[in-house]
Amino acid sequence: MEWSLENVREMVAGGIQSIRECEICAFAIAMCVLLLFMWYCYRVGREHGSSPLRGRYLAGPGRIGGVVGGFMGSDCRGRGKGKHGSPLEEQNGFAFCQSSECFRCTSAGESLNQRLYNSLQDYAKRYTWSGMGRVHKGVRDQGRYLNSRPTIQRPEVFFLPDLPSAPFFSREVQRHDVELLEQSFPALLAEFESIYHQPPARSGSSLPPGWKANSTPRGQWWTYYLVNQGTPLVLNVRRCPRAWRVLGQLRTFIANNVFGNACFSVLTPGALITEHYGPTNVRLRCHLGLRVPPSCELVVGGEPQCWSEGSCLLFDDSFLHRAFHEGIAEDGLRVVFMVDLWHPNVAAAERQALDYIFTPGRLEDKEGK
């Protein structure tokens, strides 16, 4: 090859042209990637378009106005069947709940396992199987896990395998949310005082509006729900704007599936909540003490703990647990603000999948309807 000025010019021109072609190709690839990313964000946004709580209570009273309070650990809801409700509104505890709309009371058995698997497959088709190892394992072998668990820990609906477990957890595992709740103690206590000292909801009832009585062998246990099984209660939320605002600031509150609850819980002197299990091990139940007289105790997995005013107590309610208030009338009420938070070892991808699978209403058995 002879080196000349003309040859050098041709080589330089060819190199510049190649660079220009590569730039155009790279730009085209970058645009394709950007369009794919925008499409993915759109798809995700349709399913999870808003923050967990913002605006949900504005859906109107027709959808959730009839929801009532808790099943033992506060997860059961009964709805009035007629215009004026049903007796279950006053007897909605463990012994009395027969509601066809209660997820926890009607979803057990093989039909639930099949519906879980179908929902997981639907989620994977829409999004991805990535990070779903434990969830897939849990759904596939759910019947075996629930039936073979030791009696000290036996969640009644869903068990996620290979998840570290203990009756009580350190406040450090959910430090941000624990500190936020404790900083909100004065506002939450004031809001409790406001809703508790309202006049009775109707003649013949001793409870103010929004409060529900739960079944106990002795004493009284009352609950006032803001969120019950992942569904906000419109009227109660409107009466508690500060508590609702606190819930919206929590990073790990379970707001989008049936395992999430938030309520004020009251025990009268002499009350006993008998031993029972929660529905799942993917959550930690957080109690913020608002009023804590002497002789009150929570026993989880055989380990006793006492509440403290202004402090949070974190426990895994899939362990066998009970609570009691053995004080006298002069001691007053035991009051806590209860919130369900994600277990710290449930990964973000698993949380998103579980929110999808256990969205309120998704697992209802449609057979015969």
Side-chain angles (χ1 to χ4, degrees), residues 146-343:
L146 295 183
N147 294 328
S148 64
R149 294 297 304 164
T151 55
I152 194 173
Q153 185 192 26
R154 185 173 289 176
E156 296 183 330
V157 176
F158 180 76
F159 178 80
L160 186 65
D162 306 321
L163 199 61
S165 62
F168 290 96
F169 280 72
S170 165
R171 55 185 284 118
E172 297 301 318
V173 300
Q174 299 294 9
R175 183 174 181 177
H176 173 272
D177 288 354
V178 165
E179 289 182 349
L180 178 61
L181 286 166
E182 291 178 349
Q183 291 168 5
S184 304
F185 165 72
L188 293 171
L189 178 59
E191 207 137 66
F192 161 75
E193 299 287 356
S194 173
I195 59 175
Y196 183 74
H197 291 103
Q198 295 291 319
R202 55 183 178 271
S203 59
S205 173
S206 60
L207 294 176
W211 287 91
K212 300 299 173 183
N214 302 280
S215 176
T216 54
R218 66 172 190 262
Q220 299 292 324
W221 173 29
W222 303 318
T223 46
Y224 186 95
Y225 278 85
L226 302 180
V227 179
N228 193 348
Q229 288 192 343
T231 302
L233 275 69
V234 177
L235 298 179
N236 289 3
V237 164
R238 289 174 178 168
R239 298 185 191 110
C240 298
R242 287 175 290 182
W244 183 255
R245 193 156 47 244
V246 171
L247 291 177
Q249 296 171 344
L250 298 177
R251 293 176 180 173
T252 61
F253 174 49
I254 303 178
N256 293 320
N257 72 54
V258 296
F259 299 135
N261 302 274
C263 73
F264 293 95
S265 175
V266 173
L267 288 181
T268 64
L272 168 67
I273 302 176
T274 54
E275 290 184 329
H276 60 285
Y277 302 99
T280 182
N281 66 327
V282 303
R283 74 185 186 189
L284 295 185
R285 181 147 284 184
C286 178
H287 282 184
L288 171 66
L290 299 181
R291 283 191 191 173
V292 185
S295 304
C296 295
E297 200 166 78
L298 173 68
V299 182
V300 183
E303 298 182 19
Q305 289 278 357
C306 295
W307 297 277
S308 178
E309 292 183 0
S311 297
C312 288
L313 199 59
L314 290 173
F315 65 100
D316 183 344
D317 74 326
S318 67
F319 282 80
L320 189 66
H321 62 285
R322 62 190 176 95
F324 55 85
H325 180 355
E326 293 186 337
I328 58 177
E330 289 74 15
D331 292 332
L333 306 172
R334 185 240 57 176
V335 184
V336 299
F337 184 66
M338 187 208 79
V339 182
D340 288 325
L341 308 176
W342 283 106
H343 189 291

Side-chain angles (χ1 to χ4, degrees), residues 39-232:
W39 174 82
Y40 173 78
C41 291
Y42 170 74
R43 288 293 304 273
V44 172
R46 291 189 66 183
E47 289 292 330
H48 308 282
S50 61
S51 66
L53 293 172
R54 188 174 300 154
R56 293 184 64 193
Y57 68 95
L58 299 177
R63 175 171 172 258
I64 58 179
V67 179
V68 301
F71 166 96
M72 293 300 289
S74 70
D75 297 325
C76 192
R77 51 183 181 173
R79 298 185 181 181
K81 301 302 178 183
K83 181 177 179 181
H84 301 288
S86 72
L88 288 177
E89 289 189 347
E90 293 301 325
Q91 299 179 335
N92 62 327
F94 175 77
F96 300 100
C97 180
Q98 302 293 332
S99 172
S100 60
E101 299 185 37
C102 172
F103 170 80
R104 188 166 172 179
C105 291
T106 61
S107 296
E110 292 300 321
S111 62
L112 173 63
N113 296 339
Q114 185 59 49
R115 281 177 279 154
L116 285 176
Y117 200 83
N118 291 341
S119 292
L120 177 59
Q121 287 184 316
D122 186 37
Y123 173 83
K125 289 177 183 177
R126 287 171 176 258
Y127 303 105
T128 177
W129 280 105
S130 177
M132 293 299 102
R134 285 195 302 191
V135 176
H136 179 261
K137 182 179 177 183
V139 169
R140 182 189 62 202
D141 300 326
Q142 196 58 209
R144 178 169 64 84
Y145 284 128
L146 295 183
N147 294 328
S148 64
R149 294 297 304 164
T151 55
I152 194 173
Q153 185 192 26
R154 185 173 289 176
E156 296 183 330
V157 176
F158 180 76
F159 178 80
L160 186 65
D162 306 321
L163 199 61
S165 62
F168 290 96
F169 280 72
S170 165
R171 55 185 284 118
E172 297 301 318
V173 300
Q174 299 294 9
R175 183 174 181 177
H176 173 272
D177 288 354
V178 165
E179 289 182 349
L180 178 61
L181 286 166
E182 291 178 349
Q183 291 168 5
S184 304
F185 165 72
L188 293 171
L189 178 59
E191 207 137 66
F192 161 75
E193 299 287 356
S194 173
I195 59 175
Y196 183 74
H197 291 103
Q198 295 291 319
R202 55 183 178 271
S203 59
S205 173
S206 60
L207 294 176
W211 287 91
K212 300 299 173 183
N214 302 280
S215 176
T216 54
R218 66 172 190 262
Q220 299 292 324
W221 173 29
W222 303 318
T223 46
Y224 186 95
Y225 278 85
L226 302 180
V227 179
N228 193 348
Q229 288 192 343
T231 302

